Structure formats: structure tokens, C-alpha cells
């Protein structure tokens, strides 16, 4: 029986976070990883007070799998592909499981369309705006080895969580992982 569902989360500096993740051919191959992603996300959220999305590479499995929980819905995306992103952008303080105490001010597309494979190997499309759009972009970046820090708007775009709480919380929108 598999009994180690909560996995260690890779942290900034781990070279695996810079790897381009590999496609996952079957739902069976994805299923165990999705379970671990879900359990790890829940555990992280209890410990840190935030957490809505995670990519497989963050638990040391460089596979193109993303797990998101938002507004009571769970999304299990295998081989997601960003098919469209709007010209319209919005800015937010982003955060990440892999550097939970660092906030990054960056820009994301306001609307995206993502194509992915579901658990029955059907191709699905999700049209997203707002928080889901931003989460999808954050997690798909992970699959390419791209991190939020790479998208910082300038050198003032970083804050520790403590400084962010003191200076920005409430004043600007934060979404993040
Ligand atoms: Zn992240």
C-alpha cells in the first residue's frame, strides 16, 4: 500500500525547478502523482495559510501535471498547453510553494485558454479569467522551468512576506500560488 502521500516541496535553488517537464502519456501514470499533489497541497495550506495550485515538478516529478483547487473545484491537468492569452494584462503579488516567504510583483494575462488531457484521455479546454487564469499561467510556467521571480517587473518587485504584510496587504491585489 502506498503510504507517503505528502511530499517534500522543492525550494528555490534546486536545479530541478529549472527543468522542462516531460509529457505524461497515460492517465494511470498521472493518477498517483495527482494524489500526492493534492495531499501535499492540503498539508502546505495548513502550514502556510495559502495554497491553491501545485505542479508535479515541485514535488520532484518533472512531469507535465498540474493540480489546482479553487472555489470548491479541483482541476487535474495532464499535459496542459496555453493555447491563448489575452493582450489585456493584470498585475499581482505572486507567491509560490517553492519560496513561500517571497512575494513577487508581476504581470499575467487577464484571460487564457488552456487545452489539456483529462482522466479519460479526452482533450478538454478551460477558458479562465482572474484567479484561475493567473494560477494556470503560474503552474504552466513551472512546467517550462520558469519561476515567478523571472517575471518580476523590476528590481523593486520583491518583498518578504512580512514586509508585504506590512506595506501592501489589502492595498494591491494578491493572488499567487
Ligand atoms: Zn510556484
Amino acid at each position: 500500500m502506498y503510504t507517503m502521500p505528502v511530499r517534500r516541496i522543492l525550494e528555490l535553488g534546486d536545479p530541478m525547478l529549472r527543468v522542462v517537464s516531460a509529457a505524461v502519456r497515460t492517465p494511470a501514470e498521472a493518477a498517483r502523482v495527482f494524489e500526492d499533489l493534492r495531499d501535499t497541497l492540503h498539508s502546505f495550506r495548513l502550514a502556510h495559510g495559502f495554497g491553491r495550485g501545485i505542479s508535479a515538478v515541485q514535488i520532484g516529478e518533472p512531469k507535465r501535471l498540474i493540480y489546482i483547487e479553487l472555489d470548491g473545484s479541483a482541476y487535474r491537468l495532464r499535459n496542459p498547453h496555453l493555447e491563448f492569452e489575452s493582450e489585456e494584462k493584470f498585475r499581482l503579488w505572486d507567491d509560490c510553494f517553492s519560496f513561500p516567504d517571497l512575494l513577487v510583483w508581476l504581470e499575467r494575462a487577464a484571460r487564457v485558454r488552456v487545452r489539456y488531457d483529462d482522466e479519460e484521455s479526452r482533450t478538454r479546454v478551460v477558458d479562465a479569467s482572474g484567479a484561475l487564469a493567473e494560477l494556470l499561467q503560474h503552474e504552466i510556467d513551472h512546467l517550462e522551468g520558469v519561476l515567478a521571480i523571472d517575471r518580476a517587473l523590476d528590481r523593486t518587485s520583491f518583498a518578504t512576506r512580512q514586509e508585504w504584510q506590512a506595506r501592501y496587504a489589502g492595498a494591491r491585489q494578491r493572488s499567487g500560488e
Side-chain angles (χ1 to χ4, degrees), residues 44-140:
F44 181 94
R45 192 157 56 201
L46 278 176
H48 294 272
F50 77 95
R52 304 183 298 181
I54 187 169
S55 59
V57 66
Q58 289 179 281
I59 59 168
E61 306 237 19
K63 301 175 177 186
R64 301 187 83 82
L65 301 173
I66 288 171
Y67 180 75
I68 291 174
E69 278 187 12
L70 185 67
D71 300 330
S73 297
Y75 301 83
R76 291 173 176 81
L77 291 85
R78 181 165 59 92
N79 304 325
H81 170 69
L82 194 57
E83 201 171 68
F84 162 82
E85 54 185 301
S86 63
E87 291 292 315
E88 186 192 347
K89 310 293 179 196
F90 71 109
R91 293 180 173 190
L92 68 140
W93 283 100
D94 203 1
D95 53 20
C96 182
F97 284 26
S98 296
F99 38 92
D101 292 321
L102 182 66
L103 282 285
V104 183
W105 183 238
L106 50 68
E107 200 167 71
R108 300 283 190 196
R111 286 170 288 109
V112 296
R113 167 172 289 181
V114 172
R115 186 175 292 274
Y116 66 99
D117 300 321
D118 76 2
E119 286 148 288
E120 273 87 48
S121 282
R122 289 174 299 213
T123 299
R124 297 258 185 182
V125 166
V126 56
D127 287 299
S129 60
L132 182 57
E134 172 273 307
L135 275 166
L136 287 165
Q137 290 167 83
H138 181 113
E139 303 307 339
I140 289 172

